[in-house]
Amino acid sequence: MELLIDDLFKVISDKKISYIAEKVLGGDRVTEDEVLYLFNSNDLTAIGHLAEFINRKKNGMNAYFIVNRQINPTNICVYQCDFCAFGVKKSDPKAYEMSLDEILRKVEETCEAGGREVHMVGGIPAHWGYERYVELVREIKSRFPEVVVKAWTAIEIHHMAKISRKSYEEVLTELKEAGLEALPGGGAEIFSERARQIIAPNKANAEEYLEVHRTAHRLGIPTNATMLYGHVETLEERVEHLSKLREIQDETGGFQVFIPLAYWPEGTRLGGRRTSSVDDLKTIAVSRIFLDNFDHVKAYWVTLGEKVAQIALNFGADDLDGTIEEEKIVHSAGTRSAYGHSVDRLVKLIKKAGKTPVERDTFYNVVKVYD
Ligand code: V47
């Protein structure tokens, strides 16, 4: 259903938001100052309506999901970031490492259930050599060629380059030859050096994260982008983050989707509070308005919760991620969402939001439309 321009302006009473809406509809870009104004505004209805207007122009009534599985081969991690409750030291009683057989069994189950994607990321153990990361991809892809391997965050790629003394280009080329087809967006956190020093001082910095993605795009590997929000960052720092992503996307066009990740504080050393639903919806909507060169914005049901994710589908988001099966990272930090969802459940969530459920593959090709 098309949203009418007249209806849009009926819900906007704020003069500056009205000006921003006119600019956007005229094809002009929103500036950093303007997007900061939107973040500071409490007019969620107006911002949401504008974002949804833009989304419908890009994606119509489609709301996407994928039949996928997350696999986290280990939670042992050298970096010990304060916002993360998943990564532990090797000596921790909660530490685990999955065997290759265990991993392959999970992929087999996923393929049997019609899954199309394995999203594999994890902790970064000091005792893992570079070859282990490459071999995992090679083993999965050679035994299950039908599944797309979306694996390793830019942080893991940076780490591989460091321990193997190879360039990002060499690492990504070898992974691609082994069967890697896409990179997930994890590890971006927040690009601001000030905030990163507080929440994740030891791992790859913003420039390194972005350079890995740039290199992947150059090699023809599409990637996703995330932003972890709701911890110590300011709204100005969120704008800086979005702006860097928009700049790289102008350069390469290699990002498939933007995924805002709401911070969950339980069990983390950083602590803090959960984000509000208003902040979650506003962040989705503002991102949709600002990132005019991104085709998709994901409402990740694991961090948002199913209900807010469902509402987000009318606030600018067009994708829920997928069935996932077994989410561990955000569950370590207290999310109350399910560990995974059936196709049926995702289809119902989307239909009840008034959208058309569309099963997709990793690259947003349509697999099935649930009319
Ligand atoms: O990199 C860690 C985040 C990410 C917490 O690319 C936390 O399609 C909230 O990146 N509270 C992993 N978030 C998840 C991720 C992702 C998920 C779904 C799809 C895609 C994609 C990517 O979760 C981590 C980190 O940024 N995270 N700790 C926490 N306490």
Side-chain angles (χ1 to χ4, degrees), residues 65-67 301 322-325 338-349 370:
F65 70 93
I66 185 166
V67 183
W301 59 259
T323 48
I324 298 176
E325 301 278 341
Y339 284 86
H341 274 309
S342 64
V343 168
D344 245 25
R345 175 90 178 119
L346 293 180
V347 166
K348 275 194 191 124
L349 279 174
Y370 292 75

Side-chain angles (χ1 to χ4, degrees), residues 13 77 128 137 153 163 172 273 291 325 358:
S13 52
C77 192
W128 276 34
V137 173
T153 65
I163 58 175
L172 286 164
R273 296 162 150 248
L291 295 174
E325 301 278 341
V358 178

Side-chain angles (χ1 to χ4, degrees), residues 83 119 150 184-187 189 224 228 259 262 264 298 300 321 333:
F83 68 86
H119 174 173
K150 179 178 90 179
E189 323 317 353
N224 299 343
L228 183 71
I259 312 150
W264 282 80
K298 193 181 280 188
Y300 186 41
D321 196 78

Side-chain angles (χ1 to χ4, degrees), residues 54-71:
I54 296 166
N55 175 39
R56 292 212 190 164
K57 281 215 172 312
K58 287 183 182 278
N59 297 297
M61 293 301 280
N62 288 356
Y64 298 94
F65 70 93
I66 185 166
V67 183
N68 66 350
R69 174 172 211 131
Q70 288 194 12
I71 297 182

Side-chain angles (χ1 to χ4, degrees), residues 68 70 82-86 117 119 121 150 153 155 183-189 203 223-229 257 259 261-266 268 298 300 302-303 319 321 324 327 329-330 332-334 360 364:
N68 66 350
Q70 288 194 12
D82 281 355
F83 68 86
C84 177
F86 171 73
E117 175 189 274
H119 174 173
V121 297
K150 179 178 90 179
T153 65
I155 308 303
L183 285 193
E189 323 317 353
K203 67 182 187 185
T223 75
N224 299 343
T226 58
M227 173 176 77
L228 183 71
Y229 67 93
V257 55
I259 312 150
L261 295 170
Y263 171 60
W264 282 80
E266 279 178 35
T268 67
K298 193 181 280 188
Y300 186 41
V302 173
T303 48
D319 185 19
D321 196 78
I324 298 176
E327 201 286 334
I329 298 177
V330 190
S332 312
R360 62 165 174 86
Y364 288 86

Side-chain angles (χ1 to χ4, degrees), residues 70-87:
Q70 288 194 12
I71 297 182
N72 310 115
T74 178
N75 61 350
I76 300 170
C77 192
V78 282
Y79 290 115
Q80 299 295 300
C81 301
D82 281 355
F83 68 86
C84 177
F86 171 73

